[in-house]
Amino acid sequence: MITNEFWLERWQTGRIGFHLEGINPKLIDYWPTLAKQSRVLVPLCGKTNDIIWLAEQGYQVTGVEISSLAIIEFIGDNDLTYETEHKGKIKIHHINELPIRLIEGDYFDFQENQFDACYDRAAMVAMPTTLRKKYVEHTLARLADDAFLLLISLFYEGEKQGPPFSVDDTEITQLWGSKIRKLASENLMETQTEYRDGLYTLFEESVWHIDQK
């Protein structure tokens, strides 16, 4: 059963293989140029430095994360300072050095909307089948009608099961709607040795856009 406690325990025990060091190259390659001060949402952000990169492009970045440990490590790893306010069930950590807010709490308790863009590298694929539709609907409700989405998905075959979960193209289109478009795919078994452990016969990472402009 994938619950908030499951993810909190993963952070506490350091089992965070989903964390990507450095900046995700696909973010750099496929993120468009948006207006300065655009509001960018990063669901289930962990301690990714991708939000640093987005902030450095001139965007107002909001990351949402259940684990206080992930937030503490992000702040400490980057030598940042912050101020915290409480708002209902969530805490809002305002980073002083960059236009970043870290929302500590359950993503489904986060109700702000009218974000100009969303970056999802490992959020949708962290959701089991029972929560995936709820996650997508909640995310779309956070976005403005003309918002941009960069989604990175996984589809794999083999013995090992998620999380991260395998989500095929048909389900992605059903969940996100007809405006989503696949831009690129890469079989990670061909480029990264850690996927050649015999547990997979295919491990494909794909990049998707919703661009309303």
Side-chain angles (χ1 to χ4, degrees), residues 39-123:
R39 299 174 68 232
V40 180
L41 174 64
V42 185
L44 283 61
C45 63
K47 60 175 182 177
T48 178
N49 281 330
D50 291 348
I51 59 179
I52 295 280
W53 184 87
L54 286 165
E56 288 175 342
Q57 310 313 302
Y59 307 127
Q60 302 285 331
V61 184
T62 298
V64 185
E65 173 55 46
I66 188 69
S67 170
S68 60
L69 180 58
I71 292 173
I72 289 169
E73 290 186 2
F74 171 82
I75 291 170
D77 290 348
N78 292 286
D79 295 321
L80 300 171
T81 62
Y82 65 99
E83 298 175 4
T84 299
E85 65 172 310
H86 295 258
K87 189 174 183 179
K89 295 181 179 180
I90 64 176
K91 296 179 182 178
I92 304 176
H93 305 289
H94 300 268
I95 303 301
N96 293 321
E97 294 82 358
L98 289 164
I100 293 173
R101 295 184 308 155
L102 299 174
I103 309 299
E104 181 184 337
D106 189 318
Y107 180 57
F108 295 113
D109 290 331
F110 179 65
Q111 298 296 324
E112 290 184 24
N113 53 27
Q114 293 300 308
F115 283 88
D116 302 302
C118 176
Y119 170 56
D120 178 339
R121 183 192 76 84

Side-chain angles (χ1 to χ4, degrees), residues 55-211:
E56 288 175 342
Q57 310 313 302
Y59 307 127
Q60 302 285 331
V61 184
T62 298
V64 185
E65 173 55 46
I66 188 69
S67 170
S68 60
L69 180 58
I71 292 173
I72 289 169
E73 290 186 2
F74 171 82
I75 291 170
D77 290 348
N78 292 286
D79 295 321
L80 300 171
T81 62
Y82 65 99
E83 298 175 4
T84 299
E85 65 172 310
H86 295 258
K87 189 174 183 179
K89 295 181 179 180
I90 64 176
K91 296 179 182 178
I92 304 176
H93 305 289
H94 300 268
I95 303 301
N96 293 321
E97 294 82 358
L98 289 164
I100 293 173
R101 295 184 308 155
L102 299 174
I103 309 299
E104 181 184 337
D106 189 318
Y107 180 57
F108 295 113
D109 290 331
F110 179 65
Q111 298 296 324
E112 290 184 24
N113 53 27
Q114 293 300 308
F115 283 88
D116 302 302
C118 176
Y119 170 56
D120 178 339
R121 183 192 76 84
M124 181 194 71
V125 296
M127 295 288 165
T129 304
T130 54
L131 286 178
R132 209 167 292 148
K133 184 173 186 290
K134 179 182 178 181
Y135 164 77
V136 172
E137 289 176 347
H138 185 77
T139 300
L140 289 173
R142 312 277 69 77
L143 305 181
D145 291 340
D146 60 350
F148 170 82
L149 169 74
L150 173 59
L151 169 71
I152 297 177
S153 70
L154 300 174
F155 175 73
Y156 56 79
E157 297 173 346
E159 297 179 13
K160 192 171 183 180
Q161 300 300 312
F165 295 101
S166 176
V167 187
D168 64 29
D169 292 6
T170 299
E171 184 176 359
I172 288 174
T173 301
Q174 290 172 344
L175 288 170
W176 291 98
S178 59
K179 292 183 179 180
I180 197 163
R181 296 285 183 268
K182 183 193 281 192
L183 299 185
S185 292
E186 177 185 5
N187 184 358
L188 298 185
M189 292 182 65
E190 297 177 354
T191 58
Q192 300 184 30
T193 56
E194 60 263 37
Y195 295 98
R196 303 173 196 163
D197 56 8
L199 296 177
Y200 302 109
T201 56
L202 170 72
F203 201 103
E204 183 179 85
E205 184 178 67
S206 298
V207 180
W208 303 75
H209 270 186
I210 294 179
D211 192 348

